[in-house]
Amino acid sequence: MQRVNLSTVSEFVFVGLSDAPEIRLLLFVLFLLVYLATMAGNITLLVAISTDSHLHSPMYFFLSNLALLDLLCPTITVPKMLGALLLENREISFAACLSQHFSLIAVVGTEIFLLGVMAYDRYVAVCHPLRYPSIVSAKLCARLALGTWAVGLLNSLLHTSLVFTLSFCGPNKIQQYYCDIPPMLALSCSSTRSRELVLLVVAGVLGSSACVVTVVSYIYILLEILSRSSPGIWHKAFSTCGSHLTVVCLFYGTTICTYVRPSFTYSPHRDRVVSMLYGMLTPLLNPIIYSLRNKEVKCALRRVISRVRTAL
């Protein structure tokens, strides 16, 4: 059998966010500040959860996994984007593009499943508070967290293998600031119809399953709240679930708009905006949302800051 060369393109070129030097510098400063704020917020949240014994519970264990994913997501894409803005270094090798694509899809997929697991955790906390410690045990938490990471990695392996075994023999300009599925499919010079169908079905099934777990969990939570007549139940439930529900709406909405749709609806300019929402804005807002709406996290952060001041 003849050996088939799957790709004659050795590197790709990102289309910049702007070609005007003054705008590029402004965007560089803006995105650098957002990235540093994201790193600071999520690292602080991780330190608070790991060092404060009051936060050693299933809810905060899953929240620490979310903070770790929110550290990884912008780190995969933003440094390269900053280099393109400041140094105009827009080239990326085929191998580096493949690695970036695999890492990003793995992180995004894992976060989708993790948010579903967190919704189940909130359901047990609200609907079965007395049995919560026995149901959501440390062993179950470890298995659920490991399962979300494993499914995210396997999902990314499938997506990456389907995309990067296509032939790339023509244009090599990626209409995005990182290696993503829609712009990579648009560059392929071979037929992508069958692979697009597989990608759409897999993303739809896995994404919808996580959404179903989340929606069903919150339906049961709502029914449980309506069945009780105790004073302050709405406030207590909202303080327990409000932060997670806000993050779910923001993250699910942007990722579904990007990945679970046919390729003929692909719009480079719109996708750049949407990808910035889940790739940069959501990781920045997650620690803010959880810390502002959670008294335990705010108290833990104060204790961390107090210890740091004492040490200094």
Side-chain angles (χ1 to χ4, degrees):
M1 293 178 64
Q2 284 188 338
R3 193 175 173 186
V4 179
N5 185 14
L6 295 177
S7 175
T8 57
V9 174
S10 60
E11 68 176 16
F12 296 100
V13 179
F14 295 122
V15 173
L17 298 175
S18 175
D19 293 325
E22 62 277 6
I23 299 297
R24 284 208 315 269
L25 183 59
L26 179 62
L27 291 175
F28 172 81
V29 173
L30 175 63
F31 291 136
L32 177 61
L33 292 176
V34 170
Y35 178 65
L36 293 176
T38 302
M39 295 295 103
N42 285 287
I43 289 173
T44 303
L45 191 58
L46 279 172
V47 171
I49 293 172
S50 61
T51 59
D52 196 301
S53 59
H54 297 87
L55 302 183
H56 291 174
S57 65
M59 173 183 173
Y60 297 107
F61 170 73
F62 294 129
L63 182 56
S64 64
N65 278 266
L66 181 64
L68 179 58
L69 290 169
D70 286 338
L71 280 173
L72 294 174
C73 187
T75 301
I76 293 168
T77 60
V78 174
K80 182 65 180 177
M81 181 186 68
L82 293 176
L85 287 170
L86 186 64
L87 306 174
E88 297 189 55
N89 181 22
R90 301 179 181 180
E91 294 79 17
I92 185 171
S93 67
F94 187 88
C97 187
L98 185 151
S99 176
Q100 186 187 64
H101 179 276
F102 174 81
S103 303
L104 183 65
I105 299 300
V107 168
V108 172
T110 302
E111 187 159 342
I112 289 174
F113 303 128
L114 181 64
L115 290 173
V117 169
M118 293 174 74
Y120 170 75
D121 172 71
R122 294 299 82 208
Y123 152 72
V124 178
V126 173
C127 299
H128 306 283
L130 298 179
R131 297 173 54 203
Y132 179 75
S134 60
I135 296 176
V136 189
S137 61
K139 193 173 183 180
L140 179 63
C141 289
R143 288 178 176 175
L144 289 174
L146 184 62
T148 58
W149 285 88
V151 174
L153 289 171
L154 291 174
N155 174 61
S156 180
L157 182 63
L158 173 63
H159 280 67
T160 305
S161 62
L162 287 173
V163 172
F164 281 85
T165 51
L166 291 167
S167 297
F168 298 95
C169 50
N172 66 340
K173 289 187 177 181
I174 299 176
Q175 299 291 327
Q176 186 56 283
Y177 65 91
Y178 62 90
C179 296
D180 200 11
I181 293 175
M184 296 303 298
L185 291 175
L187 288 180
S188 176
C189 55
S190 56
S191 176
T192 62
R193 187 179 298 274
S194 60
R195 302 196 186 200
E196 284 178 33
L197 181 61
V198 174
L199 291 170
L200 190 61
V201 169
V202 171
V205 170
L206 294 179
S208 60
S209 63
C211 287
V212 166
V213 171
T214 303
V215 171
V216 170
S217 297
Y218 276 103
I219 288 175
Y220 276 106
I221 290 172
L222 180 61
L223 293 175
E224 181 68 19
I225 293 171
L226 293 175
S227 67
R228 297 182 188 179
S229 58
S230 57
I233 185 65
W234 281 99
H235 176 74
K236 183 178 179 181
F238 190 72
S239 64
T240 303
C241 308
S243 300
H244 177 259
L245 192 57
T246 304
V247 171
V248 164
C249 293
L250 183 62
F251 187 79
Y252 278 10
T254 53
T255 51
I256 288 173
C257 287
T258 301
Y259 296 112
V260 188
R261 57 178 174 76
S263 63
F264 64 80
T265 63
Y266 171 62
S267 170
H269 300 293
R270 184 190 62 190
D271 275 27
R272 285 179 207 164
V273 175
V274 174
S275 62
M276 284 182 184
L277 289 176
Y278 76 79
M280 295 183 66
L281 187 61
T282 303
L284 172 66
L285 292 179
N286 283 355
I288 298 174
I289 291 170
Y290 275 101
S291 60
L292 290 180
R293 296 206 53 82
N294 194 303
K295 292 181 179 180
E296 291 180 327
V297 173
K298 286 192 285 188
C299 292
L301 291 175
R302 290 193 192 101
R303 287 190 286 268
V304 169
I305 294 171
S306 178
R307 286 197 294 266
V308 171
R309 285 180 178 175
T310 302
L312 292 177

